[in-house]
Amino acid sequence: MKAVLGLSLALAFAAPAAVAQTDPISVLVKQLELEKYKATIKGLTKFGDRRQGTERNRQALDWIEAQLKSYGCSNTERLQYQFTQPAPGEPAPKRAPGIPSGGAGGPPGQGGSTLFGNRIPTGVNTDPMRQPDERLRALNAEQTPVGTSPRENVYCTKVGTTHPEEMYIVSAHMDGIGFGEAANDDGSGTALVMELARIFSMPGVETDRSIRFILWNNEETGLNGAAAYVEQRKDLQGVESPKGSGKYPEPKWLGMIQHDMMMYDHGMPIPKVGADGKVTYVSPPEQRLEADVNIEYQSVSKQAEGSARLAWAFRAANDKYATNYPAAVGFHMTNTDSTPFMDLVPSISLRENERGQQIGAGWNPNWHQPTDNYDNYSDKDFLLGLNAAQTTLAGVAQLAGVRIRK
């Protein structure tokens, strides 16, 4: 793994002239279009917040699978697992202990971070009446049934031509909560992964190594879909089955690239003085000029060194191929589906903001709220998500060894 990443990093940091038109990565990045990305997000919002365990969640899974097949990523599969929804008042399953955090600048945030500056409360909306749109209120009426029942993740694989036994995982979670449309959390990440599946499945596009595009379920309940995948598949890595077939149902994991909410980087909450003189804090209305794609790894994971190299390779890919917004690297990755993988394989997470330090301080007021709706985002917001797609496409294409056959 280190040799593969080392070679890719050398390529990523090589001082280039202007990117040549014959560069296959440049050609593929140009296939990413804002209107197509927006249309995929819009398609996902037909299923409301896609809360796990509901009929709208299952319909969204079917729609995602049909879209992947229509792109040519036709070898779709589903991983099944069981999830238990506790009854109201029952304790939720225990989670792993948090990472120690906090410093001189402020109180502790998640993932080892420190909360600096202005902060506003965060939480999950559980009141359907806070959704003023009656259509959405009705669409999101069904709630997760209590008890144990089956869940599914859906994925498809771009099989490598030289090393089909090795792969990179490119993923996002497709479920949401909050009685909105989950347009950003996580329609924006799901659409990104689907768009990359579309482009890598185009005729003539080949990669040396395999790429698996996965849409997780149950992220909002504690990363259960990703954890189930790790539990069921980790010991199958690199095993040829049937023997001598040249087929690898679970190629060896070389890197895990997760995507969560991708579009909203309006900055730190700002003070607003009311008529009564009381100061409240509100989110700036426009995407900030300094908006960036945040690439995070977890510094205390067992794969921290490889994860850091992976993060910087993606930062270099952003410098070379992204068109509008830069990228920043952080080391407090937390609360996302790369977490179950991070001790087994180099893992990173791409987001609109740092999860612990910024989202945890209220930088996105739509997070888990009934306002997380398609119409509440501008093209500047959607464009940040598209630039994250450019970053991941370029990074994965470089690592997997892409070429275009005529």
Side-chain angles (χ1 to χ4, degrees):
M1 175 59 197
K2 183 177 290 188
V4 173
L5 263 182
L7 174 61
S8 300
L9 276 175
L11 293 170
F13 289 112
V19 178
Q21 292 299 311
T22 54
D23 174 9
I25 299 177
S26 178
V27 172
L28 294 182
V29 167
K30 289 177 180 177
Q31 298 300 312
L32 285 165
E33 299 176 13
L34 183 62
E35 292 307 314
K36 286 184 179 179
Y37 177 61
K38 289 170 60 178
T40 305
I41 296 174
K42 185 68 173 176
L44 287 160
T45 65
K46 295 186 301 183
F47 308 101
D49 63 10
R50 305 181 297 282
R51 186 183 181 100
Q52 59 84 21
T54 63
E55 180 62 22
R56 61 187 181 278
N57 177 278
R58 292 186 288 272
Q59 290 175 350
L61 279 169
D62 292 342
W63 183 82
I64 290 168
E65 183 173 23
Q67 292 296 110
L68 293 174
K69 288 180 178 179
S70 74
Y71 301 154
C73 201
S74 55
N75 56 350
T76 59
E77 299 178 69
R78 297 203 187 190
L79 181 134
Q80 296 184 335
Y81 59 98
Q82 297 290 318
F83 175 74
T84 301
Q85 176 72 24
E90 290 183 357
K94 290 185 178 180
R95 298 193 181 192
I99 297 167
S101 57
Q110 291 171 307
S113 63
T114 299
L115 302 181
F116 288 88
N118 300 333
R119 301 182 297 277
I120 57 177
T122 63
V124 177
N125 173 54
T126 59
D127 181 3
M129 297 311 295
R130 289 189 58 207
Q131 175 53 260
D133 186 327
E134 292 184 6
R135 179 193 64 83
L136 263 179
R137 205 185 309 151
L139 181 60
N140 289 327
E142 182 193 359
Q143 296 301 288
T144 302
V146 171
T148 301
S149 53
R151 303 287 187 274
E152 293 181 315
N153 301 318
V154 63
Y155 59 92
C156 72
T157 308
K158 171 76 174 179
V159 178
T161 57
T162 307
H163 293 286
E165 77 282 5
E166 299 176 339
M167 76 172 175
Y168 290 92
I169 295 173
V170 178
S171 62
H173 73 92
M174 52 73 63
D175 65 315
I177 48 178
F179 291 93
E181 291 180 329
N184 190 30
D185 188 10
D186 189 24
S188 61
T190 298
L192 185 158
V193 172
M194 292 174 67
E195 280 295 280
L196 266 58
R198 176 181 67 83
I199 291 170
F200 277 106
S201 300
M202 289 169 51
V205 177
E206 295 181 355
T207 56
D208 290 333
R209 292 173 172 80
S210 298
I211 308 169
R212 180 159 289 172
F213 305 95
I214 307 182
L215 290 314
W216 308 113
N217 214 338
N218 279 98
E219 191 271 354
E220 301 290 8
T221 56
L223 320 180
N224 306 95
Y229 184 94
V230 170
E231 180 62 27
Q232 293 184 33
R233 310 293 294 181
K234 61 182 171 59
D235 295 331
L236 304 178
Q237 293 180 67
V239 177
E240 187 181 28
S241 181
K243 196 73 174 176
S245 66
K247 296 181 179 180
Y248 299 85
E250 191 64 31
K252 180 183 178 182
W253 306 339
L254 297 181
M256 197 286 188
I257 302 98
Q258 169 67 9
H259 303 82
D260 214 298
M261 41 208 295
M262 305 302 314
M263 301 194 301
Y264 193 97
D265 189 2
H266 291 207
M268 184 185 294
I270 56 176
K272 181 179 180 181
V273 181
D276 58 357
K278 184 178 180 181
V279 178
T280 57
Y281 291 90
V282 297
S283 179
E286 293 288 333
Q287 190 80 280
R288 62 177 182 151
L289 296 177
E290 306 88 352
D292 55 17
V293 177
N294 288 88
I295 305 167
E296 294 187 275
Y297 68 97
Q298 181 45 254
S299 61
V300 302
S301 69
K302 294 179 181 178
Q303 297 288 334
E305 183 181 348
S307 298
R309 289 198 300 271
L310 184 60
W312 284 108
F314 271 58
R315 166 63 195 269
N318 172 274
D319 279 357
K320 193 171 181 179
Y321 293 101
T323 55
N324 301 88
Y325 294 105
V329 173
F331 56 95
H332 296 309
M333 183 184 77
T334 186
N335 293 69
T336 194
D337 288 305
S338 44
T339 302
F341 290 85
M342 69 182 186
D343 287 334
L344 302 174
V345 61
S347 302
I348 60 175
S349 168
L350 278 71
R351 289 183 184 263
E352 61 198 12
N353 290 303
E354 290 192 16
R355 169 60 180 85
Q357 186 176 94
Q358 296 172 345
I359 294 175
W363 283 37
N364 188 335
N366 299 324
W367 181 42
H368 296 162
Q369 299 301 310
T371 53
D372 189 4
N373 300 329
Y374 181 91
D375 290 341
N376 286 336
Y377 299 99
S378 72
D379 273 1
K380 292 179 181 178
D381 298 322
F382 290 113
L383 194 59
L384 180 62
L386 189 77
N387 274 244
Q390 293 171 339
T391 301
T392 296
L393 191 155
V396 170
Q398 201 161 48
L399 290 166
V402 75
R403 59 190 165 274
I404 301 175
R405 299 286 190 193
K406 294 185 178 179

